[in-house]
Structure formats: C-alpha cells, structure tokens
Amino acid sequence: MEIQAMTAFEIKKGIEEGKFTSEEIVKKLFERIKEVDPKVEAYITLCEEEAIKSAKVVDEKVKNGEKLGKFAGVPIAIKDNICTDGIKTTCASKMLGDFIPPYDATVIKKLKAEDAVIIGKTNMDEFAMGSSTENSAFMKTKNPWDFKRVPGGSSGGSAAVVAAGIAPVSLGSDTGGSIRQPAAFCGVVGLKPTYGLISRFGLVAFASSLDQIGPFGKTVEDCAMTLEVISGYDKMDSTSSRKEVETDYLSALDGSVKGLKIGVPKEFFGKGLNEEIKASLEKVMGKLKEMGAIVEETTMPITEEGLSSYYIISSAEASSNLDRYDGIRYGYRAKDYESVDDLMAQTRTEGFGKEVKRRIMLGTYALSSGYYDAYYNRAQKLRKEIRRQFKETLEKYDLILSPTSPVLPFLSGEKSENPMEMYLADIYTVNINLAGVPALSLPCGFSKEGLPIGIQIIGPHFGEKKILKAAYALEKELKVDTLAIK
Ligand code: GLN
C-alpha cells in the first residue's frame, strides 16, 4: 500500500508484524512530503534526521523482540504551539520565530514513551487565533481538496497534512473549534477531548480555561489510538483531571449505535447554515435512525449568544497569557528602542500580527475597570448557562449532533479582512469549549463542488467512548474518502 493511504493503525501493525520497518515508513513519508508539501505548505519545521533516528531505535526493539509501545514506529505531525525539546516551536509568530523549547510538552513525552516518531511541526494561525490559518506569520496553508481555499483553522496545518497524505496522524489544539473546524474543512476526523483529559503542560497558552490538545486522523480508529496515548492525569498541569476514566478507547469501537439516544437542537439549523451542509446533516440523521439509534429534535436556546461569550472570555484570557512576550524574557526583541517601556511596545508592535493585537486589545478592554461587569462578568454568566444547557441536554440524550461549520471551506482571502464574518464560522464549535465537553468532527460527504462537509458529535464530560463508538459506526456506513491528494 502507498504511504499516503496508510493509517496509523496499519503502520503500527505492519511494524509489529515485521512487514516493514519504521525507517522504511519514515523515509517513504519524507519523499512524499518533499513532493507534496511545497504545494500545500503545511509544515513550518521538518525533523527528518531526528525522525530517522527514532525510527531506527524502534526497529532495533523489533529486532531484539523487546516490548513495543502503543505507537510503535508511527510518524506523527505536531501543531507548532506544542513544545518539542530541541525543535523550534514558533506558534506561527514572529514573536517565537527562533524559540527552541528546552523541554517536551507532556503529550510529546507520552507519545515518545509509546515509541511514536515526531516528523515535524505544522502551520497554524498565530497563537491559535483564527479560523483559516491565514494569520500565520510564515505562510498560507492550502486546502488539499482545493488549493484556492483555506484549510480552516487554527490547526489548519495539522488537518491539511492528514488530508494530503503527508502524515498519518497529527495533533492540534482546540480553544473554540480549532481542531473540529479544520477537520471538517479538510475532510478528516478531528477530536476535541473533555477539558482536563489531556495535559496542557507545554501547550503554549491562548485561553487557558478553554484550550485542549486533540488528534486528527483519516479514521476514527486512529483518533482513538492517539487519544489512548496522550490522555490521563498530569501533575504538571493543575487543571488536569484526577477523575478515574477508562482510556481503552479502541475497545469502544464496536460498530453499533443501536439504542443510542441522539438529540439535534433546532437552533443548529438557524439562518446562515449552508443548504448543502444542512442536507448532509439530515441525511446522517436518517442513516442513524436506520442503524437503530433514536434521533430526536430538541432545543438549546443559548446557541447564538455563545459566540460573544467566547470571544470576550478567550480574548480576556489571551490578553493576560500573552503579556509574557515582552522582549525581555524570551522570544523576539525589537532592535531600536529608547527605554524599557519602548522596548516592550516596539517588540510587540513588530512581533505580533494584526489578529493577535486585536484580541489583546479586546481582552484588555473587557477586563478594565468600569467595563469588567458589562463584558467579562456577563460573558461568565452566559458561560454558566451554556454549561447548564449542555448538562441538561446530555442527561436526556447520549449524544448531540450538529453541523461542525455553518459554511463550506471558503476562498483564501475571502474573510480575512472581515473579522466578524470569520468569527461567525465558529458558531457551532465555541459553546462546546465553554461547556468543557468533548466533540468530534466526522467527514460525512462532499458538496456538489467536491468540498468536504463535516458533522459534529458532542458527548457528555468524559464521554469520549460514546462519541468514538457512534463516529466509528457512522464512518463504516458512510464510507467517505479522507485522502485528498492520491
Ligand atoms: N477560531 C477560533 C478563534 O479564532 C478558535 C480558535 C481555536 O480554537 N484555537 O478563536
């Protein structure tokens, strides 16, 4: 089988069974990357030498009959806001353009402990702020299904590498939709786990109460396999959950949705939803019924207000998190300045892009005295109500179904001058982060023009197994192609 079509699961099995070596896989993959990535522009940094070295270590283990990790020899791409020891981690910002972390994020440590092979760092919107990957300081990643279109964002690079067949799996981060929306735009599977299930240690902070790391894959199985490796309590992250959860996610994939109760809030069919996406969602609802699930219309009136709450809270947290980039402690420093204050101002003026500056200003404003109650406090109250509505709905239903994005992948440049329009692309995803529940985007077909469409499956806190089970069953039924470039 050709490297671009192989899943992480197939690679792992093949290496275990001695059908091929990890070194062979990694070398083939880099050949493919060199051919395809110049067109897609999804990687900021490639680590070929290190990858071959790690692959050889795994191959030695196989030769000596040693016990292999759960990710034995499988290549994985990492979003460039997740710290990798000795490998540049830029957040697609001039501010961190030369930053080489002296440590690994916990998810990277866990992957390495299970014998994964890190192949490179992927492009994103600067500091994960955006929905199109156009806010990167370095390059604009293309949608592998149509190079004129955006791959979604902010984890656009991580979604594109999987769809382009230049990484079997990848990690992204999701603060308001940044895994699910690009997964939908690129026609691959993307999962945002429950807040607290995955350690955020070593993930460069955007909005700490919303950020979560999660996997992208061509299949639900690959996402489940990756989640098994990266999840779990971590003492290095004070928001990491101590709850005992069964993390044998692969065992949940039994192909059945019989008896599952699925709610579809009518608010998700509001104005602004693309007709073809709506039709796809209805088709999936019908399929689920045929497969034995109970699908009902329900209501979640808060849906629209979520967006304003999200942009206030996430910007407020970002304005505080990003104050560490002052030109003194680390990262970029302006060359010309007259005083310490001037040094900070100049550094930030030159180091941050437009969208990041916009969020810092918005957040600082919302937190300033006199406006705090009107904006930040109100947004927090709304957040409470959103959490309550999700809790209530997920007590009645096992899962909630919705579109992932109201729009199809848009043209590059189409929304970049209109931030409000760009923010609207997140209407179905942000509430999930505010509530802290998990959700997965599953490819469910294509528009007439051949653009991918994704649906979102939302579950209760720590309900990843339920989500993966339903997604796996649907995936088998829908049989949607997830490889854009053959
Ligand atoms: N598009 C949203 C934003 O710009 C979500 C970003 C994210 O999830 N990192 O904030």
Side-chain angles (χ1 to χ4, degrees):
M1 195 188 290
E2 287 183 310
I3 186 74
Q4 60 268 33
M6 290 177 90
T7 66
F9 199 79
E10 286 161 354
I11 293 175
K12 170 191 137 100
K13 278 197 83 185
I15 290 172
E16 279 171 358
E17 288 163 6
K19 284 200 187 125
F20 38 72
T21 66
S22 176
E23 187 181 352
E24 281 164 4
I25 290 288
V26 171
K27 285 189 168 157
K28 265 197 203 152
L29 189 62
F30 273 96
E31 270 170 39
R32 163 101 181 159
I33 292 174
K34 281 170 200 153
E35 179 197 323
V36 173
D37 194 51
K39 292 178 236 164
V40 182
E41 295 191 274
Y43 281 108
I44 293 179
T45 304
L46 286 167
C47 4
E48 186 170 0
E49 254 175 59
E50 295 93 330
I52 292 176
K53 230 196 251 161
S54 328
K56 282 184 172 160
V57 173
V58 178
D59 292 337
E60 266 307 301
K61 281 194 185 177
V62 178
K63 233 170 67 195
N64 300 334
E66 285 172 50
K67 191 174 178 311
L68 296 174
K70 286 185 183 168
F71 233 76
V74 179
I76 183 164
I78 309 291
K79 186 177 181 179
D80 212 18
N81 59 351
I82 299 174
C83 286
T84 38
D85 190 0
I87 299 168
K88 223 166 50 169
T89 299
T90 69
C91 280
S93 179
K94 193 170 165 187
M95 195 56 101
L96 291 177
D98 298 317
F99 176 57
I100 299 179
Y103 65 100
D104 274 327
T106 297
V107 290
I108 302 296
K109 271 205 194 121
K110 287 188 173 231
L111 280 166
K112 286 183 177 171
E114 296 294 339
D115 294 328
V117 176
I118 313 286
I119 47 173
K121 306 295 293 286
T122 59
N123 196 25
M124 55 187 276
D125 285 301
E126 185 177 6
F127 284 102
M129 297 172 191
S131 312
S132 66
T133 312
E134 290 168 297
N135 298 336
S136 164
F138 305 125
M139 65 241 206
K140 292 195 183 6
T141 299
K142 319 287 180 296
N143 188 312
W145 295 94
D146 179 352
F147 290 167
K148 295 189 297 305
R149 294 178 187 270
V150 302
S154 65
S155 316
S158 287
V161 290
V162 173
I166 50 177
V169 271
S170 63
L171 290 188
S173 71
D174 191 314
T175 306
S178 281
I179 291 176
R180 290 156 288 154
Q181 186 257 19
F185 276 26
C186 291
V188 296
V189 187
L191 171 69
K192 184 212 84 87
T194 305
Y195 185 80
L197 181 67
I198 317 277
S199 168
R200 290 185 299 112
F201 179 74
L203 168 69
V204 179
F206 163 9
S208 314
S209 76
L210 303 160
D211 298 341
Q212 260 307 271
I213 295 171
F216 287 94
K218 284 196 280 275
T219 63
V220 174
E221 193 173 53
D222 278 4
C223 286
M225 170 174 146
T226 312
L227 191 67
E228 279 197 17
V229 172
I230 62 172
S231 57
Y233 172 71
D234 177 19
K235 67 174 190 313
M236 301 299 280
D237 171 5
S238 63
T239 58
S240 166
S241 166
R242 287 173 183 270
K243 189 178 157 72
E244 289 279 331
V245 273
E246 287 173 11
T247 55
D248 53 335
Y249 296 105
L250 284 166
S251 72
L253 313 183
D254 60 8
S256 158
V257 293
K258 236 191 199 102
L260 272 185
K261 274 191 87 179
I262 300 173
V264 191
K266 62 174 191 291
E267 290 74 12
F268 290 175
F269 289 90
K271 55 177 179 336
L273 175 61
N274 171 288
E275 282 301 321
E276 291 187 80
I277 299 179
K278 187 175 164 197
S280 267
L281 182 63
E282 280 162 352
K283 194 184 87 188
V284 169
M285 287 163 68
K287 259 272 159 2
L288 282 166
K289 279 186 201 158
E290 275 170 34
M291 291 160 69
I294 302 150
V295 185
E296 283 174 10
E297 191 183 275
T298 175
T299 172
M300 289 183 80
I302 203 83
T303 302
E304 266 194 58
E305 286 94 325
L307 204 59
S308 13
S309 168
Y310 167 79
Y311 274 95
I312 299 278
I313 292 172
S314 64
S315 302
E317 291 184 21
S319 72
S320 156
N321 274 328
L322 269 60
D323 83 345
R324 71 192 70 174
Y325 307 106
D326 53 9
I328 297 165
R329 281 174 284 187
Y330 44 67
Y332 179 76
R333 178 180 296 174
K335 299 225 163 28
D336 296 317
Y337 49 87
E338 277 157 13
S339 62
V340 175
D341 284 350
D342 192 38
L343 161 67
M344 289 189 202
Q346 272 314 108
T347 295
R348 289 172 179 163
T349 304
E350 294 166 24
F352 287 138
K354 222 159 84 182
E355 184 62 25
V356 173
K357 287 178 190 155
R358 186 182 291 129
R359 306 274 180 121
I360 294 174
M361 285 191 286
L362 183 67
T364 311
Y365 181 79
L367 287 176
S368 54
S369 76
Y371 297 102
Y372 187 90
D373 276 335
Y375 295 107
Y376 186 72
N377 256 348
R378 256 177 86 195
Q380 287 292 13
K381 277 188 196 140
L382 259 171
R383 181 178 191 171
K384 244 193 185 156
E385 176 56 19
I386 290 166
R387 288 184 81 101
R388 198 194 58 74
Q389 278 187 25
F390 269 98
K391 194 165 173 278
E392 201 179 271
T393 312
L394 287 162
E395 271 160 13
K396 271 210 313 254
Y397 297 99
D398 291 303
L399 298 166
I400 300 173
L401 195 68
S402 90
T404 306
S405 157
V407 294
L408 294 167
F410 42 88
L411 292 168
S412 166
E414 191 181 327
K415 293 188 198 286
S416 39
E417 290 312 312
N418 187 342
M420 269 314 283
E421 233 188 79
M422 188 76 89
Y423 297 171
L424 273 174
D426 303 326
I427 185 141
Y428 297 122
T429 50
V430 295
N431 288 348
I432 282 89
N433 300 71
L434 290 169
V437 292
L440 175 146
S441 181
L442 182 77
C444 69
F446 295 89
S447 72
K448 283 191 224 80
E449 259 185 289
L451 301 172
I453 296 176
I455 50 145
Q456 179 172 233
I457 306 171
I458 308 160
H461 286 105
F462 303 101
E464 276 80 0
K465 273 194 172 173
K466 256 190 212 174
I467 296 180
L468 289 163
K469 173 183 159 84
Y472 181 76
L474 257 178
E475 175 186 54
K476 291 278 155 291
E477 196 67 27
L478 297 169
K479 298 194 179 67
V480 179
D481 187 7
T482 53
L483 183 64
I485 306 173
K486 302 290 183 262

